[in-house]
Amino acid sequence: PMGSERMEMRKRQMSTTQETPGAAQAQHSSGNRGPNACCFCWCCCCSCSCLTVRNQDEERARRASHELQAEGIPNCEESPAPTLEEVNAWAQSFDKLMLTPAGRNAFREFLRTEFSEENMLFWMACEELKQESNKSVIEEKARLIYEDYISILSPKEVSLDSRVREVINRNMLEPSQHTFDDAQLQIYTLMHRDSYPRFMNSAIYKDLLRSLSEKSIEA
C-alpha cells in the first residue's frame, strides 16, 4: 500500500510538471498579447486597431483645422505704392492713415502681427455694407458680418461692450446699412487708442518710411 501511494504521488508530480510549462507558456502568451492585439474591453487601453482609428481621427481633425487656417488672409485692398508724403501724413493722425488703401494695408499688416486683424476686417466690412442699397444683399451681408465678427462662437469675434451688442441684436431684426454703426465706431476708437500708437513705433512703419526716404534721396 505504501509503495502504491508513492507511485501515485510520483505520477501526480510528473503530471503537474508536464502541465506547468504549457500553462506558463499560455499565461506568457496571454500577457504578451495586450500591447499588440486588439482589445474589446471598456478601458481600450491597448495600442491596437482602435487606437489606430483614434489617431486617424485626430490627424483628420488637425488637417481640417490647418486647412481652415490656410484658407488665407483676405487679400489686401488694391492700391498704388504709398509716397513718402503719404507715409509721413500717417503719423499726423489716425484718420489720415485710415483714409487711404495703402495706409489701411500697412496697418492691417501690423495688426496681423498682433493677432487683431479682425478689427480692421470688421471695420472694412461695415464700410462695404454702407455702400449697398439692395435689401436682400444688405440682409445677407449683415448676417455674414454678425456670424464672422459679432457671434461669440466666431474665432474672429471683435471686442464689444454689452450695450453695443444689445443695439446690434435689436438692429438685426431688420438689418440695414447702419446696423453696425455703433460697433464700427467702437472698434475704430479701439484701434486708434490701442493699436495706432504701437504701429507708429513698429518696424513695419519705420522700415517703410526709411525705404521711401532713401529712394527720395537717390532720386
Side-chain angles (χ1 to χ4, degrees):
M2 292 294 293
S4 61
E5 288 180 2
R6 289 195 189 96
M7 288 293 294
E8 188 65 23
M9 290 178 63
R10 188 173 300 171
K11 287 180 181 180
R12 291 177 182 172
Q13 289 175 354
M14 291 178 64
S15 175
T16 303
T17 303
Q18 291 173 354
E19 291 175 1
T20 301
Q25 183 178 359
Q27 182 177 2
H28 180 71
S29 175
S30 175
N32 283 343
R33 66 192 292 266
N36 300 315
C38 184
C39 63
F40 298 94
C41 59
W42 63 271
C43 61
C44 195
C45 56
C46 62
S47 57
C48 57
S49 60
C50 49
L51 284 186
T52 301
V53 173
R54 186 185 308 166
N55 291 336
Q56 290 175 348
D57 289 342
E58 291 175 353
E59 178 61 28
R60 193 177 298 112
R62 283 194 295 269
R63 192 181 304 116
S65 176
H66 176 73
E67 289 172 354
L68 284 174
Q69 295 173 1
E71 283 182 355
I73 310 283
N75 292 330
C76 291
E77 297 176 83
E78 293 184 5
S79 70
T83 64
L84 179 60
E85 290 74 20
E86 286 178 327
V87 175
N88 278 320
W90 298 349
Q92 297 173 13
S93 72
F94 184 59
D95 291 340
K96 290 184 177 181
L97 169 68
M98 293 288 284
L99 192 62
T100 64
R104 293 192 292 269
N105 286 340
F107 191 50
R108 274 184 63 185
E109 183 181 352
F110 169 73
L111 292 177
R112 196 175 304 162
T113 66
E114 293 199 335
F115 305 99
S116 59
E117 187 185 17
E118 65 274 3
N119 290 331
M120 176 65 81
L121 296 178
F122 170 68
W123 184 88
M124 292 172 61
C126 292
E127 287 295 292
E128 290 182 9
L129 180 64
K130 290 177 181 178
Q131 307 304 316
E132 295 294 342
S133 56
N134 184 285
K135 189 174 186 296
S136 61
V137 174
I138 290 173
E139 291 177 350
E140 177 64 13
K141 285 195 172 184
R143 182 185 63 80
L144 292 175
I145 291 174
Y146 188 93
E147 291 177 355
D148 285 344
Y149 305 108
I150 309 301
S151 171
I152 60 175
L153 300 178
S154 173
K156 296 187 294 183
E157 178 196 6
V158 296
S159 179
L160 300 170
D161 62 35
S162 58
R163 180 192 65 81
V164 171
R165 286 184 175 276
E166 289 177 3
V167 171
I168 292 175
N169 289 334
R170 287 197 301 269
N171 291 342
M172 285 298 292
L173 297 176
E174 292 186 19
S176 72
Q177 299 100 317
H178 304 288
T179 292
F180 304 100
D181 281 4
D182 287 353
Q184 185 186 21
L185 177 59
Q186 190 168 96
I187 293 302
Y188 188 90
T189 304
L190 175 66
M191 291 191 293
H192 183 190
R193 294 178 178 175
D194 186 58
S195 303
Y196 173 65
R198 290 197 298 274
F199 169 71
M200 299 311 303
N201 290 313
S202 69
I204 291 176
Y205 177 74
K206 290 180 178 179
D207 289 347
L208 179 59
L209 185 62
R210 185 184 304 112
S211 174
L212 292 174
S213 296
E214 292 174 353
K215 290 179 179 179
S216 177
I217 294 173
E218 292 174 358

